[in-house]
């Protein structure tokens, strides 16, 4: 049985990025809705012993915008990444990344103040999409 390796993300079902620090917990979630990519940012709180998400921002963009971001940031190469917390660093940002792409391929990465290559490019790209600053964005408002 041969192993099929995709070197490019051609589709996605869900992409989730959970980040937390000393004073914040948030989640970015990207899903397809009616042929568009729905990009949401949630603040996360903990009440009554359960995690609760509060929608902070949401935009729709073209699916190709998200595919370009995922591929430009080489997210496929993140699978299995675990960035252990550097010695001597007293605080920082922790992250957990999960995605289902190309049908049934899952990607998981996590770390604490130690990130995969192009992580900051990815978070900057999400920020730009949420604030409608993405070059070539095709949504009409």
């Amino acid at each position: 049985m041969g192993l099929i390796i995709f070197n490019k993300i051609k589709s996605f079902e869900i992409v989730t990025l959970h980040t937390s620090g000393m004073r914040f917990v948030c989640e970015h979630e990207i899903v397809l809705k009616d042929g568009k990519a729905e990009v949401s940012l949630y603040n996360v709180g903990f009440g009554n012993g359960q995690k609760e998400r509060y929608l902070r921002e949401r935009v729709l963009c073209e699916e190709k915008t998200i595919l370009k971001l995922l591929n430009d940031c080489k997210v496929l190469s993140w699978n299995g990444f675990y960035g252990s917390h550097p010695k001597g660093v007293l605080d920082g940002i922790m992250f957990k990344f999960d995605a289902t792409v190309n049908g049934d391929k899952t990607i998981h990465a996590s770390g604490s103040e130690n990130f995969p290559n192009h992580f900051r490019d990815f978070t900057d790209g999400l920020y730009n999409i949420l604030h409608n600053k993405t070059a070539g964005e095709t949504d009409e408002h």
Side-chain angles (χ1 to χ4, degrees):
M1 181 199 268
L3 177 65
I4 298 173
I5 299 174
F6 292 100
N7 59 4
K8 188 171 184 180
I9 297 174
K10 297 178 181 173
S11 66
F12 64 91
E13 287 69 47
I14 186 167
V15 177
T16 305
L17 174 62
H18 177 97
T19 54
S20 61
M22 291 286 289
R23 293 188 169 88
F24 76 94
V25 179
C26 66
E27 288 182 352
H28 288 84
E29 180 180 80
I30 308 166
V31 295
L32 284 177
K33 296 257 178 142
D34 300 322
K36 295 278 189 177
E38 182 181 81
V39 181
S40 303
L41 173 59
Y42 296 92
N43 285 338
V44 179
F46 299 90
N48 300 324
Q50 295 185 350
K51 176 175 113 172
E52 297 179 22
R53 297 191 321 169
Y54 304 95
L55 182 64
R56 195 164 110 192
E57 299 176 66
R58 175 175 286 152
V59 298
L60 291 175
C61 70
E62 298 294 326
E63 178 183 10
K64 67 182 179 182
T65 301
I66 299 302
L67 290 171
K68 180 173 177 8
L69 179 63
L70 293 169
N71 286 309
D72 286 354
C73 294
K74 298 178 178 28
V75 167
L76 276 176
S77 71
W78 295 6
N79 193 38
F81 179 90
Y82 174 73
S84 59
H85 196 80
K87 288 186 178 192
V89 176
L90 300 178
D91 60 8
I93 296 174
M94 296 185 309
F95 84 95
K96 180 178 159 197
F97 178 89
D98 290 291
T100 302
V101 301
N102 294 346
D104 63 352
K105 169 121 176 94
T106 58
I107 301 168
H108 176 75
S110 63
S112 178
E113 204 53 41
N114 194 341
F115 308 98
N117 291 336
H118 304 290
F119 181 83
R120 295 280 188 220
D121 297 330
F122 183 73
T123 58
D124 289 350
L126 289 176
Y127 177 89
N128 289 336
I129 289 167
L130 283 166
H131 296 96
N132 201 24
K133 297 178 182 175
T134 301
E137 187 61 54
T138 58
D139 276 357
E140 293 180 357
H141 297 277

